[in-house]
Amino acid sequence: MSDAGRKDWSDKLKESAVPDSSKSTQTKVKETFTDTGDKLARGTQPDSQKSTGQEISDKFGRSKDREVHGSSGGSVLDKAKNAIGLGDKH
């Protein structure tokens, strides 16, 4: 079960089990769209307001993103605040 507006972890698992070469263009576009929406939601909702399963899934996703893309961490909201000068000043 996922939190409202979030992609269920079982859907993510099913999607990753099927190779991209076996997916239609429409399916790939849909997955990209829903993954992006889920990542945005992941970054804007504090972990303290998530179900345990969603919190674990999000922590794993952030870890994977940092490994693949070399990020410094932090939520999307924190990065946006820092970009416009409203972030932490320390």
Side-chain angles (χ1 to χ4, degrees):
M1 181 78 187
S2 67
D3 294 351
R6 299 296 307 275
K7 193 178 221 182
D8 190 73
W9 66 269
S10 62
D11 291 338
K12 292 178 187 179
L13 185 61
K14 290 175 199 172
E15 289 174 358
S16 67
V18 178
D20 283 344
S21 60
S22 299
K23 297 176 184 176
S24 70
T25 301
Q26 181 180 1
T27 299
K28 290 179 191 177
V29 169
K30 177 186 169 240
E31 287 179 8
T32 299
F33 182 75
T34 57
D35 286 346
T36 301
D38 194 61
K39 284 182 181 183
L40 288 172
R42 173 180 84 190
T44 57
Q45 182 183 22
D47 284 345
S48 62
Q49 295 178 2
K50 298 174 185 173
S51 66
T52 302
Q54 199 70 59
E55 181 180 359
I56 291 168
S57 175
D58 287 355
K59 285 180 180 179
F60 175 76
R62 285 190 297 266
S63 174
K64 182 179 174 187
D65 286 349
R66 280 192 295 273
E67 184 179 307
V68 171
H69 302 292
S71 173
S72 61
S75 72
V76 172
L77 186 59
D78 290 337
K79 290 177 183 178
K81 285 180 184 177
N82 290 337
I84 61 172
L86 298 175
D88 289 336
K89 303 289 186 206
H90 53 291

